Amino acid sequence: VQLVESGGGLVQAGGSLTLSCATSGFIVDDYAIGWYRQAPGQEREGVACLARGPRLDFSSTYSDPVKGRFTISSDGANNIFYLQMNNVKPEDTATYYCGADLDQDCRRRLHYGMDYSGTGTRVTVSS
């Protein structure tokens, strides 16, 4: 399982940024894909997760701090996942990681983390 994040950088508060996660080495339909972040001196926290629901349709789950501002999506054919970040705030400053897990319960995965993770991409939001 390989996950490679990109797209981080410096953005002003209120602006937008899109992170990408290129995946390879596994069948993405079998996994939940999530985004996590870790700010300096803080624990890693779940941000967003995408997984197949009981009817095999994709469903997304978000943590409360980003709900309504961030969107997780997939391009399908290229197995690339995105985190669209809108109306960013200084408290969104963190290193963002992409994760994958066979457990497709997103609420559980956002709380406990995922088995596989990339090396992260840094996002800095200036006020």
Side-chain angles (χ1 to χ4, degrees), residues 10-34:
L10 177 65
V11 58
Q12 284 191 330
S16 298
L17 197 66
T18 301
L19 306 182
S20 300
C21 174
T23 67
S24 62
F26 63 104
I27 300 173
V28 295
D29 284 356
D30 293 340
Y31 285 72
I33 303 295

Side-chain angles (χ1 to χ4, degrees), residues 1 4-5 11 24 27 39 51 54 56 62 66 70-71 73 79 83 85 88-89 98 104 106 116 122:
V1 174
V4 180
E5 304 93 339
V11 58
S24 62
I27 300 173
L56 300 184
Y62 300 92
V66 308
F70 291 10
T71 303
S73 64
N79 293 332
L83 184 68
M85 306 167 61
V88 295
K89 304 175 181 180
C98 179
Q104 301 224 24
C106 273
Y116 302 97
R122 177 80 177 162

Side-chain angles (χ1 to χ4, degrees), residues 2-89:
Q2 289 191 322
L3 306 161
V4 180
E5 304 93 339
S6 61
L10 177 65
V11 58
Q12 284 191 330
S16 298
L17 197 66
T18 301
L19 306 182
S20 300
C21 174
T23 67
S24 62
F26 63 104
I27 300 173
V28 295
D29 284 356
D30 293 340
Y31 285 72
I33 303 295
W35 285 95
Y36 298 79
R37 66 187 182 185
Q38 186 167 19
Q42 297 187 24
E43 294 187 355
R44 188 175 295 195
E45 64 170 336
V47 172
C49 177
L50 190 68
R52 285 194 180 275
R55 301 189 189 93
L56 300 184
D57 54 335
F58 282 103
S59 64
S60 55
T61 305
Y62 300 92
S63 64
D64 287 343
V66 308
K67 200 172 294 183
R69 300 188 297 120
F70 291 10
T71 303
I72 185 172
S73 64
S74 167
D75 79 340
N78 294 318
N79 293 332
I80 299 175
F81 293 80
Y82 302 97
L83 184 68
Q84 175 68 41
M85 306 167 61
N86 295 328
N87 189 25
V88 295
K89 304 175 181 180

